Amino acid sequence: MILNYQLTVDDLFALQKNYFRTSEYHINRGKLAFVVLMLFSYFVFSSFLLNILPGNVSPDLIVPVSIGGGILLALILLPFVRDLYFKIQIWRFKIAFNRLKNNGWPKECITKLTPEGIEQHVHNSQLEGKTQLNWSAFQKVGEDERRFFLYHTDTDAVVLPKQTESLSEESHKELRDLLTQHIGHLLNTNSKKTANAL
């Protein structure tokens, strides 16, 4: 099976987003950042309540009210704080990328999928490269609504579109079947991991 497509900056950002959300390192850092921000919001609100409550309020009442208020604030902020680490990482990557001049995007790709592996030819105005990988070289597989990410190192991946102008519905099914046949165990594992991380 041969795929002809163009890799764009959007594909690069989607790859980075998938990497941040599926990397053990970033998942653990995201959890730590979440706990720190929740504790911070709790202590700030508790301190605020202790300072605004009248002095004649019983100490037995001040502590439970401040604790309850801190927990309530933490719960209100929960949806906003949970994704904050990942959004900051993607934002930092975009800033670094935009500082590069002549970054060589978009890239034209011709990717050949065979029973042995993947052969990819990439070219643009600045480079021409060829990558050959056996199916056993892939460590994990990620996906979003529009792409598959086949990681052959912790950070490097072959990006395959799920749909292109030249990819019919039958070809799309053939692509998914081919990936399932050769690296399906990685595809299923990463889908569960992504679902747990979100």
Side-chain angles (χ1 to χ4, degrees):
M1 176 177 205
I2 297 177
L3 300 174
N4 291 296
Y5 56 98
Q6 188 179 69
L7 277 179
T8 66
V9 172
D10 288 341
D11 296 319
L12 176 65
F13 291 157
L15 172 62
Q16 289 303 311
K17 184 176 181 180
N18 183 268
Y19 165 69
F20 290 135
R21 292 196 174 274
T22 59
S23 160
E24 286 293 330
Y25 172 78
H26 285 288
I27 289 171
N28 290 335
R29 285 190 55 137
K31 288 176 181 175
L32 178 63
F34 169 73
V35 169
V36 169
L37 284 170
M38 295 305 281
L39 288 173
F40 176 75
S41 66
Y42 165 74
F43 284 117
V44 166
F45 190 73
S46 295
S47 299
F48 175 72
L49 274 182
L50 286 172
N51 288 324
I52 65 162
L53 288 175
N56 60 352
V57 175
S58 165
D60 294 337
L61 183 62
I62 289 177
V63 173
V65 168
S66 64
I67 290 173
I71 291 171
L72 181 63
L73 179 65
L75 291 174
I76 290 170
L77 293 176
L78 180 66
F80 306 103
V81 172
R82 197 167 90 181
D83 259 4
L84 191 59
Y85 172 81
F86 298 109
K87 288 179 180 175
I88 289 172
Q89 294 306 313
I90 293 164
W91 175 73
R92 288 178 61 208
F93 178 80
K94 286 181 178 181
I95 287 175
F97 179 82
N98 289 331
R99 286 184 181 160
L100 296 174
K101 294 182 179 176
N102 303 320
N103 53 38
W105 292 83
K107 300 178 181 183
E108 300 297 327
C109 291
I110 301 171
T111 303
K112 184 178 180 183
L113 293 88
T114 67
E116 291 76 36
I118 290 179
E119 181 180 308
Q120 186 176 59
H121 297 266
V122 178
H123 66 277
N124 62 17
S125 59
Q126 297 180 353
L127 66 87
E128 186 153 337
K130 176 181 172 182
T131 304
Q132 282 187 288
L133 297 161
N134 292 330
W135 291 113
S136 60
F138 295 105
Q139 301 173 3
K140 69 177 183 176
V141 178
E143 66 178 302
D144 65 12
E145 294 170 1
R146 298 175 51 202
R147 311 157 191 90
F148 291 105
F149 308 105
L150 313 181
Y151 290 89
H152 51 93
T153 70
D154 288 341
T155 56
D156 292 330
V158 173
V159 179
L160 298 178
K162 290 184 176 180
Q163 294 185 351
T164 66
E165 292 176 8
S166 61
L167 192 64
S168 66
E169 191 172 320
E170 186 179 310
S171 298
H172 172 68
K173 184 179 182 315
E174 182 185 346
L175 172 62
R176 185 170 277 283
D177 290 345
L178 192 59
L179 293 177
T180 301
Q181 177 185 352
H182 294 289
I183 50 177
H185 62 290
L186 297 174
L187 187 63
N188 295 335
T189 300
N190 194 61
S191 296
K192 290 175 188 171
K193 187 188 217 182
T194 303
N196 291 336
L198 295 178

